[in-house]
Amino acid sequence: CVTWVRRAARAMAASFSLRASRRSLGRQSDIQPASAQLAMSRASRLASALRVAAGVVWKDGSILLARRSGDDPLSGCWEFPGGRIEPGETPEACLGRELLEELGIRVRVGRLLDTVCHEYPEKRVELIFIEADYDGGSISLKAHDDVAWVAPGDLPKYGLAPADGVFARRHFPCA
């Protein structure tokens, strides 16, 4: 995400300097090159991305997956559980809070594994995947309708949400 924003900013700066040089030559052209328009559009979309912490929660060699419920466009899809990062909150703090609120479990939060930026038709998300170890609590379903402890090799048997699928293919290539 950061790389795309930097590229878009450079493209916008180049576009503005191109227009400024045209004006200084007496040509009042406000036409932007198509590449600059695309870069600005992508930069504004990424700047408004929903930031989400997603937990790769381990217990006895298996990973916790949760199936989304409700009328969400992704309902029925399996995901690495987590939630929206609040302003001023770290991804790690968010993960611990969301897993306790949504599933009633405690985790020992570990290291950052990866970040996946994905554009859904209705929103853009930046998923920050964090490793964690299950540390107790009885699973209770609030935002999901099912959970499963899954061996990494069995991940393809579950219909993962698109961004979660990108992560799974990157980190569990045999899956």
Side-chain angles (χ1 to χ4, degrees):
C1 283
V2 173
T3 303
W4 279 107
V5 171
R6 286 183 185 145
R7 287 181 188 159
R10 282 194 294 261
M12 287 188 320
S15 170
F16 292 135
S17 93
L18 177 63
R19 283 190 288 167
S21 67
R22 285 182 183 153
R23 285 189 182 105
S24 68
L25 293 172
R27 293 184 218 135
Q28 293 292 335
S29 174
D30 283 332
I31 299 173
Q32 294 180 359
S35 61
Q37 289 174 348
L38 288 172
M40 286 191 309
S41 172
R42 183 165 185 83
S44 66
R45 287 194 316 267
L46 288 176
S48 65
L50 175 66
R51 296 184 71 224
V52 174
V56 180
V57 181
W58 291 92
K59 177 183 168 188
D60 300 327
S62 295
I63 300 169
L64 180 64
L65 291 181
R67 189 172 59 198
R68 296 179 68 117
S69 63
D71 58 359
D72 182 305
L74 295 175
S75 68
C77 290
W78 290 86
E79 66 180 0
F80 296 94
R84 181 182 308 212
I85 300 170
E86 299 294 338
E89 186 176 42
T90 66
E92 295 84 357
C94 170
L95 182 63
R97 175 184 58 78
E98 285 284 347
L99 292 176
L100 189 58
E101 286 175 6
E102 291 188 0
L103 293 173
I105 63 170
R106 293 179 308 283
V107 296
R108 285 187 310 275
V109 176
R111 65 189 173 100
L112 172 74
L113 296 173
D114 199 358
T115 299
V116 173
C117 295
H118 190 80
E119 290 191 38
Y120 292 100
E122 69 283 351
K123 64 186 168 193
R124 190 168 3 289
V125 296
E126 175 188 6
L127 278 113
I128 301 168
F129 289 90
I130 303 167
E131 192 168 44
D133 291 316
Y134 174 76
D135 197 31
S138 229
I139 293 178
S140 60
L141 302 175
K142 294 181 181 119
H144 301 88
D145 63 12
D146 199 6
V147 294
W149 290 100
V150 179
D154 290 337
L155 286 171
K157 296 177 183 175
Y158 293 80
L160 292 172
D164 294 83
V166 169
F167 170 81
R169 286 187 297 279
R170 278 185 196 167
H171 293 272
F172 304 102
C174 60

